[in-house]
């Protein structure tokens, strides 16, 4: 369908949507987020699709948002100028991150994230929007955004994904958790051998695809409603506003200016991680 940053393949009743920027660990830029949104909605609307699998090409699921447009080493995109004001940043993150994530979470059909390698920050935010997560045994989950002064990501699924106390530790340390730990915490449904990730995930998707679609969808609706009654959606809304406030603090604005003076993201990440070494 003429996508540049994703691949879409139909396997019987299962739609496999794959982020396809492996050269940058599937960092999510504006084009990828827009195409992913389009493909996920199209699959949800297509009566021939019963289950949607979200994957990342190459060694990693996703390294998070592609921040290159917002530091020195642009090619910048249409949001680059807008993000220079608090209201522009709010609009960008609301439309492109928050709302598009919740579209995935609210799709009527069952969704499965198929996760290998690095699943970092907005990569984890995206995976967490899916109903199920299958991880390969080499998967690692991390949200190091606090090290850069940010209040997590825009959609903070961690309190519900790994529990409140663990969420604080995970976010404050910025340390990775491996696939087994993610399974133990209930963040992922299954851990499978790395070489079998696609086979096992597709087999699970095909089994779920055999449940009559209206039944599977109604059960999803009911469980999501229970989660919302438990405060999930309201907590996400609150966090989004906290996240925006944090972006506009002196602490964060000074750090942003320092990042923009750097020549590459590599330098930014080196700076970020060195002081937090164990
Ligand atoms: Zn943000």
């Amino acid at each position: 369908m003429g996508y540049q940053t994703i691949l879409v393949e139909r396997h019987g009743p299962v739609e496999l949507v794959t982020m396809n920027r492996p050269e940058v660990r599937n960092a999510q830029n504006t084009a990828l987020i827009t195409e992913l949104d389009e493909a996920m909605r199209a699959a949800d609307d297509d009566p021939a699709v019963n289950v949607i699998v979200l994957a990342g090409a190459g060694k990693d699921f996703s390294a998070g948002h592609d921040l290159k447009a917002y530091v020195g080493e642009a090619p910048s995109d249409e949001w680059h100028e807008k993000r220079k004001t608090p209201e522009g940043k709010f609009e960008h993150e609301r439309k492109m991150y928050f709302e598009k994530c919740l579209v995935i979470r609210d799709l009527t059909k069952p969704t499965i994230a198929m996760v290998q390698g690095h699943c970092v920050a907005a990569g984890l935010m995206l995976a967490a929007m899916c109903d199920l997560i299958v991880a390969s045994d080499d998967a690692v989950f991390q949200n190091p955004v606090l090290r850069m002064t940010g209040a997590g990501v825009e959609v903070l699924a961690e309190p519900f994904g790994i529990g409140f106390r663990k969420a604080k530790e995970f976010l404050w340390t910025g340390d990775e958790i491996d696939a087994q730990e993610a399974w133990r915490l209930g963040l992922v449904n299954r851990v499978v051998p790395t070489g079998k990730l696609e086979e096992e995930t597709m087999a699970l998707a095909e089994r779920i695809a055999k449940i009559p679609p209206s039944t599977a969808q109604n059960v999803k609706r009911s469980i999501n409603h229970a989660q919302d009654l438990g405060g999930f959606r309201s907590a996400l809304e609150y966090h989004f506003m906290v996240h925006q406030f944090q972006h506009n603090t002196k602490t964060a604005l000074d750090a942003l200016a320092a990042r923009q003076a750097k020549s590459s993201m590599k330098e930014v990440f080196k700076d970020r991680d060195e002081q937090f070494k164990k």
Side-chain angles (χ1 to χ4, degrees):
M1 256 191 282
Y3 291 124
Q4 305 298 309
T5 60
I6 61 168
L7 301 168
V8 178
E9 281 170 49
R10 182 70 51 84
H11 297 254
V14 179
E15 187 92 305
L16 174 60
V17 179
T18 306
M19 296 179 277
N20 191 28
R21 303 186 76 214
E23 68 285 1
V24 289
R25 295 179 168 190
N26 298 313
Q28 302 164 42
N29 60 5
T30 298
L32 185 142
I33 292 167
T34 306
E35 291 188 346
L36 194 59
D37 180 60
E38 213 175 290
M40 297 297 274
R41 287 174 194 260
D44 207 49
D45 285 343
D46 186 337
V49 174
N50 290 359
V51 176
I52 305 166
V53 173
L54 172 61
K59 286 188 180 342
D60 302 284
F61 178 76
S62 173
H65 288 141
D66 192 336
L67 301 173
K68 278 204 189 86
Y70 313 119
V71 292
E73 65 177 294
S76 62
D77 63 25
E78 67 265 32
W79 291 103
H80 186 249
E81 274 306 302
K82 263 202 169 159
R83 281 182 62 90
K84 289 180 178 166
T85 63
E87 49 273 55
K89 197 175 287 179
F90 179 96
E91 187 190 343
H92 175 228
E93 300 199 346
R94 184 91 198 165
K95 281 190 177 155
M96 295 302 292
Y97 302 162
F98 189 81
E99 289 178 4
K100 291 200 184 327
C101 272
L102 283 175
V103 163
I104 294 173
R105 194 266 179 171
D106 291 339
L107 292 174
T108 54
K109 293 173 183 172
T111 53
I112 308 176
M114 178 167 106
V115 175
Q116 81 284 17
H118 289 88
C119 182
V120 177
L124 174 53
M125 169 170 112
L126 185 61
M129 295 299 102
C130 294
D131 299 312
L132 309 182
I133 301 179
V134 179
S136 61
D137 49 20
D138 74 338
V140 288
F141 300 85
Q142 188 187 21
N143 188 344
V145 175
L146 278 74
R147 295 179 179 183
M148 299 168 80
T149 74
V153 280
E154 290 74 16
V155 181
L156 196 76
E158 279 89 339
F160 292 84
I162 61 177
F164 298 102
R165 204 176 297 282
K166 267 289 173 192
K168 290 172 189 164
E169 181 188 348
F170 179 67
L171 293 166
W172 282 335
T173 64
D175 290 339
E176 292 178 347
I177 54 176
D178 64 17
Q180 281 302 333
E181 176 73 348
W183 176 80
R184 199 183 64 78
L185 292 168
L187 178 66
V188 310
N189 295 81
R190 293 179 184 193
V191 180
V192 302
T194 298
K196 289 196 150 191
L197 178 63
E198 181 162 350
E199 185 188 325
E200 297 271 355
T201 308
M202 293 307 281
L204 176 62
E206 277 155 27
R207 283 186 64 203
I208 296 168
K210 288 181 182 161
I211 298 291
S214 70
T215 308
Q217 291 168 25
N218 277 327
V219 168
K220 169 171 177 168
R221 194 169 278 124
S222 176
I223 294 175
N224 278 7
H225 186 67
Q227 196 181 22
D228 288 346
L229 287 174
F232 182 68
R233 201 172 203 89
S234 169
L236 295 186
E237 284 285 354
Y238 180 84
H239 177 78
F240 181 77
M241 298 309 291
V242 166
H243 179 91
Q244 292 306 312
F245 177 80
Q246 180 61 27
H247 265 320
N248 298 308
T249 57
K250 184 176 184 319
T251 304
L253 292 171
D254 288 352
L256 177 65
R259 279 203 295 280
Q260 282 168 337
K262 307 259 186 220
S263 57
S264 70
M265 284 311 294
K266 208 173 171 184
E267 216 184 317
V268 171
F269 291 142
K270 189 172 159 243
D271 227 49
R272 177 192 74 186
D273 294 328
E274 230 155 45
Q275 55 179 318
F276 288 99
K277 274 205 180 114
K278 280 191 239 180

